[in-house]
Amino acid sequence: MATLVQYIYIVSAALFILSLKWMNSPASSRRGVAAGSLGMLLAVVGTLIGFPGLVEAGIHNVHNWEWIASAIVIGTAIGIPIAYIMPMTAVPQRTALSHACGALAAALVGTAEFYQSNALHETLPAFKLVALVLETLLGFLTFTGSLMAMGKLQEVLPQRPITYRNQNAVNFALFAIAAGLAVRLVLVPTDTYLFPIFVGLSLLFGVLLIIPIGGADMPTVIAILNSYAGLSACAMGFALGNNLLVVAGALDGSSGLILSIIMCKAMNRSFTNVLFGAFGQIQTSHAQAQQRPYRSASPEEAASILEAASSVIVVPGYGLAVAQAQHKIRELYDNLMRRGVDVKFAIHPVAGRMPGHMNVLLAEADIPYDRLWEMDDINGEFPQCDVALVIGANDVTNPAARSDKSSPIYGMPILDVDKAHTVMVIKRSMNPGFAGIDNDLYYMDKTLMLFGDAKAFVTEILKELPVRVGA
Ligand code: NAP
């Protein structure tokens, strides 16, 4: 039986790895999700098959099947509605909530193992104890940290960084005390009275770690917390002697880390800056922009400009997700392509609120993948392009990132929309985007502001462009 379980684990681990690989491209991402789900199902089945063996071997002395069944039923009952009810724009919050739950599970398993070994007067090997305290520390801090991140993104907590004097020193001191207690618990595990203090400090550290971080950095922080949750699960694998947990946790931990590095690079932010920089603070001063003249246009005018163009680059952003305008954009794409207009989509790596946000939305509307161009590949085409049609994007098109050293987004690579012959921007107002700063693009002579909800405005444009069949 033990061998069968190990084979199941190997297949499961291979499916996790393939899942990550396939999720790299929109074309294979559905297969990736299916492979990951199948891998997890096999992992659970393998663990349950192996469980009686562990009980017989005395490694586990409980077999509360009803608890396991209840957890599966409750998890499924909560998970399925969440998948349907949560809008795409709330995915970062939802992800933070999943990390909080996963990390709490790992931390509780660590806590149970610690108390159980003490109750049974078992002497755990030092390596296992180290893994156990690491699992608990990372698990509890990720739990409260993820809840804080979720609260900030959902705007139930203040989005601005909360800072105070010597904040980093206080945080480091707190972490050092928690780490010191962890060392003591490894050396003298019978000091059980220290464990609740250790847990309390870990929970508090998670809160204090997140409060100085501004809303704009929160999606990156979620990727970092993902990494912590993975490392906690990996440590749990070592503590429980479960190879699959080690592999899955390591994959989760490393992919979260890689993702946060990619996001930091795309926003030209350093890791330490995200964690200790209190980014959102700078936003306040830039939010008060002075009044400057700009030009606006009606849907009829926009339609005639598009009709006369021979090349159009569509630049989608967060507003597209808010308006759920992807299907209307698809209609506009079809309409213009039938008129012989070359339409491409420019994808900025941090457009929207999570990596791949725009790819997912456009894939939902079946826009061909070969029409989606990454930032580095499309930027050279803007100077030759007749119209750049910006739909609900703001920060990722802001030329201040190239030239204004005082701007909080200075150095962030942007889409060179301002180099197109004509720029049209669909948004509801002159309000700033996520970084809270004004966008010089809107005041250029070549720019026309198209005020309105993205879906409604594109619908109006389409009314002015009668469909050409088979042209
Ligand atoms: P953005 O800068 O937040 O701008 C979105 C714009 O959409 C807003 O200016 C808003 O203007 C407009 N909008 C909102 N609802 C709309 C609607 N219904 N119809 C039309 N327009 C609407 O978005 P972005 O250009 O996509 O940039 C993403 C930002 O998120 C960047 O600052 C990036 O650094 C940050 N970020 C992203 C990630 C990621 O992984 N994607 C991670 C971390 C941070 P109005 O209110 O005037 O309509």
Side-chain angles (χ1 to χ4, degrees):
M1 187 62 81
T3 322
L4 173 67
V5 172
Q6 291 310 315
Y7 281 129
I8 293 177
Y9 280 178
I10 290 172
V11 175
S12 179
L15 282 168
F16 289 152
I17 293 166
L18 285 172
S19 164
L20 285 177
K21 181 182 162 31
W22 285 331
M23 277 197 271
N24 262 322
S25 151
S28 54
S29 58
R30 277 174 201 271
R31 203 184 326 145
V33 173
S37 310
L38 181 64
M40 188 50 78
L41 181 70
L42 284 178
V44 172
V45 170
T47 305
L48 292 181
I49 292 176
F51 202 59
L54 294 178
V55 173
E56 275 160 32
I59 296 171
H60 279 277
N61 53 3
V62 281
H63 34 84
N64 295 316
W65 293 104
E66 65 280 8
W67 283 85
I68 296 169
S70 316
I72 291 174
V73 170
I74 295 171
T76 310
I78 296 174
I80 290 179
I82 282 185
Y84 287 100
I85 294 167
M86 280 248 180
M88 276 286 288
T89 45
V91 166
Q93 294 89 300
R94 199 207 60 80
T95 311
L97 183 63
S98 328
H99 294 160
C101 294
L104 180 64
L108 290 178
V109 168
T111 308
E113 287 282 311
F114 179 81
Y115 280 108
Q116 179 169 282
S117 62
N118 264 293
L120 298 174
H121 304 292
E122 269 181 76
T123 316
L124 293 179
F127 175 74
K128 197 169 168 176
L129 271 168
V130 170
L132 208 143
V133 291
L134 209 63
E135 165 196 351
T136 316
L137 174 76
L138 286 171
F140 279 124
L141 79 85
T142 307
F143 170 61
T144 46
S146 299
L147 287 183
M148 292 293 295
M150 187 191 132
K152 283 195 174 212
L153 283 167
Q154 194 60 37
E155 295 179 23
V156 290
L157 292 175
Q159 289 220 307
R160 297 262 169 263
I162 299 168
T163 52
Y164 51 88
R165 201 193 263 263
N166 295 328
Q167 190 165 28
N168 286 338
V170 170
N171 285 357
F172 281 126
L174 192 82
F175 184 76
I177 299 171
L181 286 181
V183 172
R184 174 76 191 173
L185 285 167
V186 169
L187 296 175
V188 192
T190 45
D191 277 358
T192 44
Y193 69 96
L194 290 178
F195 201 83
I197 308 173
F198 167 66
V199 169
L201 289 178
S202 309
L203 290 167
L204 182 62
F205 183 70
V207 175
L208 296 184
L209 188 73
I210 301 303
I211 58 170
I213 301 173
D217 278 334
M218 218 31 80
T220 317
V221 169
I222 285 174
I224 298 173
L225 289 168
N226 174 14
S227 177
Y228 291 168
L231 291 177
S232 175
C234 183
M236 175 161 71
F238 282 114
L240 297 178
N242 185 310
N243 293 338
L244 185 60
L245 258 179
V246 174
V247 174
L251 286 174
D252 194 11
S254 51
S255 55
L257 185 71
I258 292 169
L259 181 58
S260 47
I261 292 171
I262 291 172
M263 288 163 87
C264 281
K265 266 196 182 162
M267 295 190 293
N268 195 35
R269 313 263 295 124
S270 77
F271 225 26
T272 43
N273 224 315
V274 169
L275 283 178
F276 309 113
F279 179 52
Q281 271 197 333
I282 318 163
Q283 299 168 13
T284 355
S285 57
H286 283 260
Q288 287 110 33
Q290 76 271 40
Q291 291 288 322
R292 282 192 277 167
Y294 53 83
R295 296 193 303 145
S296 62
S298 64
E300 300 82 55
E301 288 163 317
S304 55
I305 291 171
L306 287 172
E307 206 175 8
S310 58
S311 60
V312 171
I313 300 180
V314 178
V315 179
Y318 177 64
L320 173 81
V322 177
Q324 286 294 297
Q326 60 273 31
H327 297 287
K328 283 289 157 200
I329 306 290
R330 167 75 211 224
E331 279 181 45
L332 183 64
Y333 163 80
D334 285 340
N335 188 311
L336 292 176
M337 289 290 276
R338 279 199 202 103
R339 288 166 191 276
V341 183
D342 179 42
V343 184
K344 288 176 179 157
F345 291 81
I347 309 296
H348 190 283
V350 293
R353 291 292 180 269
M354 59 182 176
H357 202 167
M358 296 302 115
N359 303 66
V360 173
L361 278 177
L362 298 177
E364 206 182 304
D366 283 330
I367 291 179
Y369 303 132
D370 61 0
R371 289 279 129 188
L372 272 50
W373 291 60
E374 300 291 329
M375 178 174 64
D376 292 339
D377 300 326
I378 194 102
N379 262 348
E381 298 210 11
F382 279 107
Q384 296 89 46
C385 149
D386 292 330
V387 181
L389 178 62
V390 180
I391 305 182
N394 189 340
D395 297 341
V396 298
T397 63
N398 193 335
R402 282 200 303 258
S403 53
D404 180 1
K405 287 195 174 155
S406 66
S407 170
I409 60 164
Y410 178 70
M412 174 172 112
I414 56 155
L415 288 163
D416 293 338
V417 170
D418 56 324
K419 295 186 180 163
H421 297 170
T422 302
V423 181
M424 296 201 287
V425 181
I426 305 183
K427 71 198 291 288
R428 296 163 307 178
S429 65
M430 291 301 280
N431 285 346
F434 203 50
I437 50 170
D438 206 13
N439 192 339
D440 287 343
L441 179 74
Y442 304 159
Y443 307 99
M444 293 174 75
D445 289 342
K446 61 167 83 169
T447 304
L448 289 171
M449 298 303 294
L450 310 178
F451 289 119
D453 170 78
K455 189 173 174 182
F457 206 100
V458 174
T459 308
E460 290 304 311
I461 292 179
L462 282 166
K463 281 186 194 156
E464 304 298 323
L465 294 171
V467 178
R468 287 197 184 172
V469 185

